[in-house]
Amino acid sequence: MAAKLKKGDKVVVLTGKDKGKKGEITQVMPKDNKAVVEGINIAIRHTKQSQTSQGGRIPQAMPIDLSNLALVDANGKATRVGFRVEDGSKVRFAKTTGDVI
């Protein structure tokens, strides 16, 4: 099945501690059904200092389940993703506005 959410998509969080926040997908993990969104689901990682990097408490975006994310349409609202065939190829479109994504 084709992916409804891809790297670079603008999404809004539907549930959880970051509900209502918007961000851009930086990484998608289809096997785990998760995605990493910039600025969402931040956790503090304690790292040891090395020659190349400074140690300490570093905030890091953790994966969030794809079912808790929705694509943001042109109006800035959450929308569902549909698929249709245009010119012989399958394209994604926003269900609320009908715009091709």
Side-chain angles (χ1 to χ4, degrees):
M1 190 171 114
K4 293 188 182 225
L5 298 174
K6 296 182 177 183
K7 181 178 176 179
D9 284 346
K10 303 277 189 228
V11 293
V12 63
V13 179
L14 300 175
T15 60
K17 66 179 183 178
D18 294 322
K19 181 178 179 177
K21 290 186 182 177
K22 295 179 184 177
E24 185 176 324
I25 295 180
T26 57
Q27 182 184 3
V28 179
M29 295 169 265
K31 272 189 175 178
D32 302 330
N33 203 33
K34 292 180 183 282
V36 176
V37 182
E38 182 181 314
I40 305 294
N41 200 21
I42 299 294
I44 302 294
R45 290 285 167 225
H46 296 75
T47 58
K48 200 173 194 179
Q49 184 176 0
S50 67
Q51 290 182 343
T52 58
S53 65
Q54 181 70 25
R57 301 175 67 217
I58 299 172
Q60 183 180 8
M62 301 303 288
I64 187 169
D65 204 85
L66 290 175
S67 64
N68 297 335
L69 301 174
L71 193 68
V72 175
D73 64 1
N75 302 330
K77 304 223 176 183
T79 184
R80 291 184 294 169
V81 179
F83 294 95
R84 63 179 171 219
V85 177
E86 287 185 3
D87 300 327
S89 62
K90 193 180 200 180
V91 294
R92 298 182 308 155
F93 72 98
K95 292 249 185 171
T96 55
T97 59
D99 296 336
V100 174
I101 304 166

